[in-house]
Amino acid sequence: MLSANWVIALSDVNYHNLEFMAPLPETPLLKAMNIAHANHLLATGEVRLCTISYYREIEDDKIRDKYDGIGIVNCRGTPVHIQGLMETFVWCTSQAQLTPRDLARKFDRNAVLILKNPLEFARRLIAAAYQFGSQWGLQCRAVVYDKRSFRDRDPEDDEDDDSSDFYLFQKDSSFSDELEFRFALTDLTMLRYKKYFITLQLQPCADIAEVWQYQDRESQPAPAPYSSPEAGSESGEA
């Protein structure tokens, strides 16, 4: 079995913009969710990804990183904050060595989606994105909890140079207990969107995921009914 991180770059006609980096593609990932949203994803394959800027602005201080998606580069000796030119939507999961119960309590949710085949999920994400055109790129990898300056950049560089892959997967070390694994879907045309999310229609996911429901009724968060992405929100989900 492979133990080191490795990259799957799928270059065939169906997945030519997919990069997946993980210890093993079949390593399960966890996502704390509302039970209605989790069951809906399993049954219908409907997935919503939110912009990086959305996660910088949410009010829940437990999960908000005000510098999420913003890199720090060394510009002739001066640390400079910089962000990508392209719109990126992310779907966040966790590799934390926690039980589903502990993860649900941590994020105050009443269910946990257990993604048993993350690589197949990534394939379905990029295939669904292609329904909107072939301009999408999907990167899937673990977040690095280090915001220090580590890349040199000359201020005379072409202003259209995009280095977002350097910091889409960076967060402050204070969030390191989350052990986040992120699916980052980027529109390579640099088009800006009016909405903070994008909804993709995958095939049903019951074959690659399952739902664990919180059973401690005394402290279980009250379940909310499923609502469409237009009206509902998954804010605060891991």
Side-chain angles (χ1 to χ4, degrees):
M1 295 180 66
L2 298 176
S3 58
N5 278 1
W6 59 291
V7 175
I8 298 173
L10 300 175
S11 58
D12 59 82
V13 66
N14 293 319
Y15 310 112
H16 61 83
N17 284 332
L18 169 61
E19 179 186 86
F20 189 101
M21 179 181 288
L24 284 173
E26 61 271 10
T27 302
L29 298 172
L30 305 179
K31 183 175 181 66
M33 302 182 71
N34 174 277
I35 184 63
H37 287 113
N39 285 335
H40 185 77
L41 190 157
L42 236 62
T44 70
E46 185 178 277
V47 178
R48 186 177 63 175
L49 296 83
C50 294
T51 61
I52 288 281
S53 59
Y54 167 78
Y55 287 105
R56 289 199 297 266
E57 297 168 2
I58 56 178
E59 296 179 354
D60 190 342
D61 289 336
K62 293 189 299 183
I63 61 175
R64 181 173 68 90
D65 179 358
K66 63 182 179 179
Y67 294 118
D68 200 350
I70 298 177
I72 304 175
V73 298
N74 180 22
C75 186
R76 295 182 179 178
T78 302
V80 176
H81 290 88
I82 185 171
Q83 55 185 311
L85 301 172
M86 303 176 188
E87 191 75 272
T88 298
F89 300 86
V90 297
W91 199 75
C92 308
T93 64
S94 177
Q95 299 182 102
Q97 299 300 305
L98 297 174
T99 65
R101 175 190 176 90
D102 288 340
L103 191 74
R105 291 177 66 92
K106 177 178 176 63
F107 288 97
D108 195 26
R109 292 294 180 267
N110 57 11
V112 171
L113 182 77
I114 303 173
L115 192 57
K116 298 182 292 185
N117 192 334
L119 176 57
E120 177 57 27
F121 182 78
R123 286 173 170 148
R124 295 181 188 184
L125 272 181
I126 193 66
Y130 283 175
Q131 297 173 16
F132 297 98
S134 60
Q135 75 272 22
W136 297 94
L138 179 64
Q139 291 181 294
C140 314
R141 65 177 72 167
V143 168
V144 175
Y145 295 94
D146 186 353
K147 299 291 283 190
R148 294 177 300 175
S149 300
F150 71 99
R151 182 172 187 245
D152 293 329
R153 181 183 177 92
D154 193 290
E156 297 179 358
D157 285 349
D158 184 347
E159 64 179 7
D160 291 332
D161 174 43
D162 183 66
S163 55
S164 57
D165 60 320
F166 283 88
Y167 44 81
L168 282 176
F169 301 90
Q170 283 184 298
K171 293 186 77 171
D172 187 82
S173 59
S174 62
F175 297 92
S176 61
D177 63 321
E178 296 177 359
L179 286 178
E180 182 180 336
F181 187 94
R182 178 170 284 183
F183 297 78
L185 184 69
T186 301
D187 186 336
L188 304 178
T189 65
M190 301 186 188
L191 179 68
R192 288 295 174 179
Y193 290 76
K194 295 181 179 179
K195 295 182 178 180
Y196 66 86
F197 63 87
I198 184 172
T199 302
L200 299 180
Q201 186 60 59
L202 287 59
Q203 67 188 73
C205 294
D207 60 326
I208 61 172
E210 62 186 30
V211 174
W212 178 92
Q213 184 172 4
Y214 202 104
Q215 297 297 328
D216 185 350
R217 296 188 179 276
E218 292 186 0
S219 55
Q220 176 180 347
Y226 175 77
S227 56
S228 70
E230 289 289 344
S233 172
E234 292 184 9
S235 64
E237 296 175 3

